[in-house]
Amino acid sequence: IRACELFRSCFVADPGNLIYAEAWLAAVLKLASTPTRPPRLVRWLVARTIRKAQARGDWTRVIEQASTHLANDVGNIDLLMALADAGDKCEHQSTNLRVLRHAADVAGKNEGILRRLADAFGRSGDFSEARHYWRAVLALYPYDQPACLLYPSDASSDRQTLQLPARHVYHQQ
């Protein structure tokens, strides 16, 4: 428990450091061998505190609160997404990717997380990983418009790729 707290304090002090993020997440996972969920009221209060901090743009507070409560509720996707949002807003790309990968491991095949992973890898320039996650989205939702438009060759051959409607119609005179 003490090691988890020390890693958490290092992570909160420097959320952009990938070594701290990985060490803290590994300690949290080892600590939570028997996961227990906190009471519903506690989860609601934590979510409310994080939403208020997000609305104010206080990303350090979001990181602090989410990391504090994630040790008690490792599988809480909302806390992981708040932590990923804060990492994205603070431009800590590597930490954001690590937290999103952890969320994907916890949540399994969650379309929203897979989409965010694909987008984050695309922004970081790792297009092979982005393509991997867009393929996972296509496997879940074969008619997904953004995934079909980005990777039409990955769409199944028995259907046509969906097209988005044109935004502007030009009339010839």
Side-chain angles (χ1 to χ4, degrees):
I1 296 174
R2 179 77 175 134
C4 187
E5 275 301 309
L6 289 173
F7 283 131
R8 189 194 73 76
S9 64
C10 292
F11 173 69
V12 169
D14 186 10
N17 190 329
L18 185 60
I19 295 170
Y20 291 157
E22 287 182 349
W24 171 69
L25 281 172
V28 166
L29 288 174
K30 284 181 184 176
L31 184 65
S33 59
T34 57
T36 58
R37 292 188 77 170
R40 184 176 291 176
L41 178 63
V42 172
R43 289 193 335 256
W44 180 79
L45 288 172
V46 169
R48 191 177 113 203
T49 304
I50 289 174
R51 277 194 308 270
K52 283 184 178 181
Q54 285 174 327
R56 287 191 311 263
D58 188 0
W59 302 111
T60 56
R61 177 89 171 146
V62 171
I63 291 171
E64 180 183 311
Q65 288 294 312
S67 63
T68 300
H69 295 287
L70 198 59
N72 298 327
D73 195 4
V74 178
N76 191 332
I77 299 301
D78 294 330
L79 289 176
L80 290 167
M81 290 297 99
L83 202 55
D85 285 340
D88 191 33
K89 296 293 182 183
C90 294
E91 298 179 4
H92 301 308
Q93 197 65 251
S94 57
T95 303
N96 181 25
L97 289 172
R98 179 62 185 99
V99 170
L100 284 171
R101 277 189 170 175
H102 177 71
D105 291 343
V106 169
K109 294 182 178 182
N110 183 315
E111 179 224 355
I113 294 172
L114 293 173
R115 218 179 259 288
R116 288 186 59 178
L117 267 165
D119 184 49
F121 274 115
R123 282 185 282 129
S124 72
D126 191 350
F127 300 113
S128 63
E129 283 292 318
R131 186 182 186 117
H132 167 76
Y133 287 107
W134 278 119
R135 282 182 179 167
V137 170
L138 276 172
L140 290 173
Y141 299 99
Y143 293 101
D144 184 70
Q145 286 184 346
C148 287
L149 289 173
L150 287 171
Y151 299 104
S153 63
D154 293 338
S156 63
S157 60
D158 62 333
R159 62 179 172 78
Q160 292 183 355
T161 303
L162 297 177
Q163 298 294 322
L164 290 177
R167 294 195 183 271
H168 302 287
V169 178
Y170 296 102
H171 299 285
Q172 293 183 353
Q173 296 177 346

